[in-house]
């Protein structure tokens, strides 16, 4: 009888850890992709249109601008599509053994992150990742005092 109780408790703990791990990863990815899309410098919207969230393998295809423009004229529309597209893929993340990738294969994204544009400081990508991780810091995989 005691082994059955222990076994049931361990299954509940495993389920709780799995559920909280998935929630933590989704909140982190959601916040990170929103920050990256919002902070990416925009001219033609090619760079912002290339923030891609994928599961289990990184994106390697460069997208054309979602809504082509000049001088940031279509930034709002392209940002909305980039965010919506990424978050719709995130809905498919359901197990902690899956990997979430947020990539940008635009050929000049590194230059933008190095500060080439005055629209964003150097290191805006790392800053967004750090802030995205903070968004899920309140989620605990297991609550204290369980054992």
């Amino acid at each position: 009888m005691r082994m059955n109780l222990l076994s049931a408790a361990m299954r509940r703990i495993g389920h709780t850890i799995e559920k909280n791990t998935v929630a933590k990863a989704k909140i982190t990815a959601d916040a990170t992709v929103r920050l990256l899309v919002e902070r990416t410098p925009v001219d033609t919207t090619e760079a912002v249109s290339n923030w891609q969230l994928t599961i289990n393998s990184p994106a390697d295809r460069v997208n054309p601008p979602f809504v082509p423009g000049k001088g940031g004229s279509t930034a709002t529309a392209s940002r909305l599509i980039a965010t919506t597209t990424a978050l719709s893929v995130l809905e498919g993340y359901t197990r902690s053994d899956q990997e979430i990738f947020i990539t940008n294969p635009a050929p000049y994204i590194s230059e933008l992150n190095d500060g080439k544009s005055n629209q964003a400081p150097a290191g805006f990508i790392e800053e967004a990742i750090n802030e995205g991780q903070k968004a899920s810091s309140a989620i605990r995989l297991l609550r204290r005092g369980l054992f």
Side-chain angles (χ1 to χ4, degrees):
M1 181 70 162
R2 280 188 133 156
M3 288 303 278
N4 287 343
L5 291 175
L6 178 59
S7 178
M10 294 304 288
R11 278 193 302 277
R12 278 194 311 277
I13 290 169
H15 176 73
T16 298
I17 291 171
E18 173 69 12
K19 181 181 78 163
N20 291 346
T21 299
V22 168
K24 189 173 186 82
K26 284 179 118 172
I27 289 170
T28 300
D30 180 298
T32 301
V33 81
R34 287 175 190 271
L35 290 165
L36 289 167
V37 167
E38 182 59 35
R39 293 178 181 176
T40 299
V42 175
D43 179 20
T44 66
T45 74
E46 181 180 17
V48 78
S49 296
N50 273 287
W51 284 115
Q52 300 175 55
L53 188 147
T54 53
I55 297 174
N56 290 333
S57 62
D60 58 2
R61 190 184 59 133
V62 177
N63 292 327
F66 288 128
V67 183
K70 293 268 186 204
S73 63
T74 59
T76 300
S78 285
R79 283 186 168 126
L80 178 63
I81 295 168
T83 302
T84 303
T85 301
L87 297 182
S88 70
V89 172
L90 187 58
E91 290 177 20
Y93 180 77
T94 58
R95 298 183 331 269
S96 65
D97 64 342
Q98 297 172 301
E99 291 182 275
I100 299 171
F101 291 87
I102 301 171
T103 52
N104 190 322
Y108 55 91
I109 194 68
S110 294
E111 293 175 32
L112 292 176
N113 193 47
D114 289 341
K116 182 177 181 179
S117 170
N118 62 5
Q119 294 179 33
F124 76 92
I125 293 174
E126 293 81 3
E127 185 178 302
I129 292 168
N130 289 336
E131 289 182 37
Q133 290 173 334
K134 289 176 187 174
S136 66
S137 63
I139 295 178
R140 299 289 174 240
L141 299 184
L142 262 181
R143 66 177 201 262
R144 293 180 187 207
L146 199 56
F147 280 104

